[in-house]
């Protein structure tokens, strides 16, 4: 439950039964209904991990859920009698950072959310950019290394295979295997190899572990290279970097800014976009989805 | 001189004295004045190879001319007493293809002009996209091969080092050096090694020379890979491919479409953008600059 200033004033949380579209919908309806019983709700926004058609109604495809060409908005609306929009979760997070967070009133804002993979969003002149079919901003799947690491999308060398929580974890596991001594603190914090995630590496780096700092530097440089690619195409005034591993803060952002400055095409002859950390944390997606829903009603 | 239907009804052509900003301006004024003496001119558009600030008035930087933070619009306007805009030449070409050419009324059109390098343009919802600072759509400088071929921009592995007239010429010269027999027809057509340009390779391919066809296939695949990167970010409905080496037509576009389909992230779960040849040829830039100038007056 989000107010008009972007503050989260109440929340319900459920696990997602992802294998069955009807059960996923039932849980969404349950959450909305419980919040609605306690508050005056004007509209609901669903921030979904998937490709949402430009109608903000249909989920074309969701990698982790059963939605395939799912008319989600109509299915929910018929049971709720409430205005409702469906938005890609990374688009929603970008919108929240633009409206209430780090991006202020920038003319062109690129948001990069470093989770398991990379979530991408773009706000141009106060509008979420969705592309011709609603599938834009899949920044994580720009190829940065031809014949590089195999990605779940089927391509090799996608950016998110080098700059994401999963990439950081993968690099950490390789390091631990190659040098148990250097990786000692990482193993202590992770308890198990499965527990050696991106956020654990970020936490180890934050407390000064040299191996973790080095892993963050490597990933930060890949981050900066990818941002330079985006700048060549989109020429934004600001990049906002969020997500689980952005907890490493300047340990990621400083090498990212350095590599960005080092690889930005036309460097020296152009204004340089800012690269800042996100300010809304993991709530960005829900805040953005709620605000977009509110605006769809007042528009 | 371009009418409101995008038809070129008269023209003057001059060489560009590029080393001196004042002399460049004098030639532009001469051309406009001569056309104006013969026609009723409502506005003038300058399509310039360089970075134009978002005010459509200032040239930030031009790689081949003396313009550095040059207030070109005001300088010309003060001598002409005529409404005038300055636009990047690739943006102008993209606008012309959108308004009068191959791109019809597509919601998101990406134009790629294969000249010496790559000129890029983007039309979103009937508006030329310029980025926050006017420097967007430098598609040719997306890195496609880390540590790859050195580009004039200072980076390694820029897309235009693999997919452009210069790239095609470079590959052709390497082939001729490695296998004079295979390159025999290319050498015949070029007369000299300096004459072995991208359009010459395209012409050899068009008449069926196997070596030239193979060079076009290699470049077409790089073209398709880069378009797949752009689709991941921009999700356009149409790509329009123009420029000097696009004369190879389907010999470039077929392998480009194949590689695009082969490397598009999310392939199988999304609509696939069309990839078509440009329809306005080398006049696209001047037609687009003129039409944008006309619209700036009527707006």
């Amino acid at each position: 439950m989000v107010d008009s200033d972007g503050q989260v004033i109440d929340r319900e949380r459920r696990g997602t039964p992802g294998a069955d579209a009807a059960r996923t919908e039932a849980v969404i309806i349950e959450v909305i209904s419980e919040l609605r019983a306690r508050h005056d709700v004007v509209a609901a926004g669903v921030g979904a991990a998937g490709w949402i058609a430009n109608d903000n109604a249909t989920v074309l495809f969701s990698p982790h859920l059963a939605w395939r060409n799912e008319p989600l908005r109509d299915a929910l609306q018929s049971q709720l009698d409430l205005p409702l929009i469906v938005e890609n979760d990374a688009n929603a997070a970008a919108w929240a950072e633009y409206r209430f967070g780090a991006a202020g009133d920038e003319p062109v804002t690129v948001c990069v959310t470093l989770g398991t993979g990379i979530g991408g969003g773009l706000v141009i002149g106060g509008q979420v950019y969705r592309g011709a079919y609603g599938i834009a901003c899949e920044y994580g799947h720009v190829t940065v290394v031809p014949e590089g690491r195999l990605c779940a999308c089927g391509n090799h060398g996608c950016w998110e295979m080098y700059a994401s929580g999963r990439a950081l974890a993968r690099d950490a596991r390789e390091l631990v295997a190659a040098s148990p001594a250097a990786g000692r603190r990482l193993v202590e914090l992770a308890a198990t190899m499965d527990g050696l995630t991106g956020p654990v590496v970020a936490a180890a780096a934050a407390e000064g572990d040299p191996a973790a700092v080095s892993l963050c530097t490597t990933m930060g440089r890949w981050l900066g290279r990818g941002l330079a690619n985006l700048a060549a195409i989109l020429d934004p005034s600001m990049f906002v970097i969020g997500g689980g591993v952005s907890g490493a803060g300047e340990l990621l952002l400083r090498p990212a800014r350095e590599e960005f400055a080092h690889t930005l095409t036309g460097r020296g002859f152009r204004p340089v976009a800012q690269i800042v950390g996100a300010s809304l944390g993991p709530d960005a997606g829900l805040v953005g989805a709620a605000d977009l829903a509110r605006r769809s009603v007042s528009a």
Side-chain angles (χ1 to χ4, degrees), chain A residues 164-176 193-199 201 215 219 245:
Chain A
S164 66
R166 184 180 286 159
L168 198 55
R170 173 186 181 144
D171 288 351
R173 288 169 199 172
E174 281 187 13
L175 176 79
V176 166
M193 281 302 255
D194 274 355
L196 187 45
T197 62
V201 180
L215 290 166
M219 178 181 144
V245 294

Side-chain angles (χ1 to χ4, degrees), chain A residues 46-237:
Chain A
V46 176
W51 287 343
I52 318 298
N54 245 333
D55 57 5
N56 285 130
T58 309
V59 182
L60 297 172
F61 171 71
S62 178
H64 307 299
L65 301 175
W67 290 326
R68 301 287 182 276
N69 287 307
E70 182 75 17
L72 183 62
R73 185 184 65 188
D74 291 351
L76 297 173
Q77 230 160 16
S78 68
Q79 298 175 65
L80 283 168
D81 191 25
L82 183 72
L84 196 139
I85 61 128
V86 182
E87 182 58 85
N88 172 273
D89 56 350
N91 286 355
W95 177 254
E97 292 290 343
Y98 173 80
R99 274 273 289 154
F100 305 112
D105 282 327
E106 296 294 328
V108 182
T109 304
V110 168
C111 286
V112 173
T113 303
L114 303 166
T116 307
I118 289 179
L122 174 60
V123 181
I124 301 173
Q127 298 283 331
V128 175
Y129 177 76
R130 298 186 177 89
Y133 304 115
I135 314 176
C137 304
E138 289 288 333
Y139 306 145
H141 298 287
V142 171
T143 303
V144 297
V145 181
E147 321 307 331
R149 296 174 178 176
L150 181 63
C151 178
C153 85
N155 286 344
H156 287 264
C158 290
W159 187 28
E160 70 178 37
M161 300 310 294
Y162 299 86
S164 66
R166 184 180 286 159
L168 198 55
R170 173 186 181 144
D171 288 351
R173 288 169 199 172
E174 281 187 13
L175 176 79
V176 166
S179 172
R184 196 177 55 80
R185 183 61 185 146
L186 286 166
V187 172
E188 281 174 12
L189 286 173
T192 66
M193 281 302 255
D194 274 355
L196 187 45
T197 62
V200 167
V201 180
E207 66 171 51
D209 177 61
V213 169
S214 182
L215 290 166
C216 286
T217 300
T218 299
M219 178 181 144
R221 287 182 185 163
W222 277 114
L223 178 59
R225 284 192 166 219
L227 298 181
N229 279 336
L230 294 178
I233 297 169
L234 297 171
D235 180 30
S237 48

